[in-house]
Amino acid sequence: MLQALITGISGEVGHGLIKKLHAQKYKIVAADIKDPEKEISGFLDKFYKCDISNKNGVEKIFEDQKFDVIFHLASILSTGGEKNPELAAKVNIEGTLNLLEAATNQALKDKKIIKFIFPSSIAAYGLPDLKEKSKIKKVKEDQFLSPITIYGISKLACENLGNYFSKNYKLLGDINRNNLIDFRCVRFPGLLSPDTIPSGGTSDYGPEMLHAGAQGKDYECFVRAKSKIPFMAMADAADVLIDLSEAPKNKLTRFVYNVHGFSVTAEEIYRMTKKFFPKFKMIYKINPERQRIVDTWPEDVDDSAAQKDWDWKPQYDFGKTFSEYLIPKIKERYHTR
Ligand code: SER
């Protein structure tokens, strides 16, 4: 039985991933600053209340447990990060560093490779202006890597840290620490989940519309109607992480992959929400800072490498995400008819 460590279980991706890993018979150890919600606590073999930026706390987990794979989800998102960039850098970068170091030491001691799966983000991109954004459309992994938020900067830094730890860590040292960590990473688009409402993200207008509509609440959208970025159903996002972790190593040609669900404007998400919740009312009340962040994110990403290397293909397009996944589940959640 494989043992997985998941950090940041109470966040957007944690819930979906835990349920799927549990169904696949993984033993799950979790770490978070918040206690797990009832809905997922039954799936955990062990929970550590731990701030990953605290090195001693991270080391304690690795003293107690041995891991085959780490899913490092804990992160402060793009809007939240701008409220306290120093804290975001500490949690996002130092936290990742602590985990990479502890995992490398464990792998060295046990002479066993540990997989390290890291969700990065479209926030790693930074398009210079709207003209370029509409011209370029599908961005490739190595283009426009000039993020403007501390979240995007820390994601890009951690992508490179993971690659460094797996290939060149302490390259002048006397012990060979290479190939102990098998680091694999995806850049997620905005995510849409019926179970969790993200906190502190900038793609949050998507899920916030859906949850407001389902609860019979009005909504003020903080970006322009025509703002377009890629999104993905949370069910697909959990599959992405598991599929990437299980992909044969010799098939992987990169350490970071774009993954794509569908690219839609804020207005298209509004119309789709209204189709299922006809009383839903929304107005646009633009927040210039959050708009600026979204304007630097690509309209779409080129995920052909993921398709080719590990057969990535989303199960849900825009219509199916709403009709077959979000709407039935969210109606159940809020007891809406
Ligand atoms: N959902 C993230 C955010 O909005 C982007 O990956 O910050």
Side-chain angles (χ1 to χ4, degrees), residues 283-313:
I283 56 158
Y284 288 96
K285 193 169 171 204
I286 313 307
N287 174 311
E289 289 78 28
R290 297 180 96 182
Q291 179 71 60
R292 185 163 164 247
I293 294 174
V294 167
D295 288 347
T296 67
W297 293 352
E299 275 194 6
D300 201 346
V301 292
D302 178 342
D303 66 354
S304 52
Q307 290 176 33
K308 191 162 161 264
D309 290 1
W310 43 281
D311 298 326
W312 156 246
K313 195 174 180 292

Side-chain angles (χ1 to χ4, degrees), residues 4 55 71 90 112 115 122 124 130 153 277 281 291:
K55 196 169 175 181
F71 295 92
K90 194 170 161 56
K112 205 179 112 189
K115 284 184 188 165
I122 46 163
L130 283 175
I153 290 166
F277 303 110
K281 282 201 198 86
Q291 179 71 60

Side-chain angles (χ1 to χ4, degrees), residues 135-154:
K135 198 171 95 194
I136 195 78
K137 303 229 186 297
K138 278 183 190 273
V139 169
K140 288 188 198 304
E141 282 90 347
D142 299 326
Q143 291 180 299
F144 297 104
L145 297 173
S146 305
I148 65 161
T149 62
I150 191 67
Y151 172 71
I153 290 166
S154 59

Side-chain angles (χ1 to χ4, degrees), residues 70-71 129 134 153 157 172-173 198 204 242 255 261 278 313:
I70 296 164
F71 295 92
D129 50 45
S134 73
I153 290 166
L172 295 185
D204 292 8
I242 298 176
F255 67 93
K313 195 174 180 292

Side-chain angles (χ1 to χ4, degrees), residues 37-55:
E37 285 158 20
K38 254 208 212 117
E39 196 195 329
I40 50 168
S41 57
F43 298 132
L44 307 179
D45 288 274
K46 177 89 184 162
F47 173 72
Y48 290 86
K49 196 159 187 164
C50 170
D51 172 354
I52 49 153
S53 64
N54 172 353
K55 196 169 175 181

Side-chain angles (χ1 to χ4, degrees), residues 17-46:
L17 181 66
I18 284 173
K19 287 179 193 162
K20 291 206 176 200
L21 287 179
H22 179 77
Q24 295 194 16
K25 311 249 176 298
Y26 277 76
K27 272 185 85 178
I28 304 171
V29 175
D32 203 307
I33 46 169
K34 280 196 277 178
D35 286 324
E37 285 158 20
K38 254 208 212 117
E39 196 195 329
I40 50 168
S41 57
F43 298 132
L44 307 179
D45 288 274
K46 177 89 184 162

Side-chain angles (χ1 to χ4, degrees), residues 2 26 68-73 96 100 113-121 141 155 158-167 179-188 239-259 306 309-311:
L2 295 176
Y26 277 76
D68 300 287
V69 55
I70 296 164
F71 295 92
H72 172 33
L73 313 179
T96 306
L100 284 166
I113 296 168
I114 300 180
K115 284 184 188 165
F116 197 108
I117 311 301
F118 183 68
S120 184
S121 160
E141 282 90 347
K155 284 291 185 191
C158 292
E159 292 177 4
N160 285 299
L161 274 175
N163 192 37
Y164 166 72
F165 267 76
S166 63
K167 296 215 184 96
N179 301 314
L180 294 169
I181 298 294
D182 179 358
F183 181 81
R184 305 172 178 201
C185 165
V186 279
R187 290 198 189 124
F188 273 135
D239 281 344
V240 164
L241 295 176
I242 298 176
D243 289 356
L244 179 63
S245 78
E246 291 175 350
K249 175 86 179 148
N250 60 3
K251 292 266 163 86
L252 302 181
T253 58
R254 336 178 33 89
F255 67 93
V256 57
Y257 288 91
N258 280 336
V259 282
D309 290 1
W310 43 281
D311 298 326

Side-chain angles (χ1 to χ4, degrees), residues 1-13:
M1 190 182 258
L2 295 176
Q3 172 140 302
L5 170 65
I6 310 182
T7 69
I9 48 160
S10 20
E12 298 186 78
V13 187

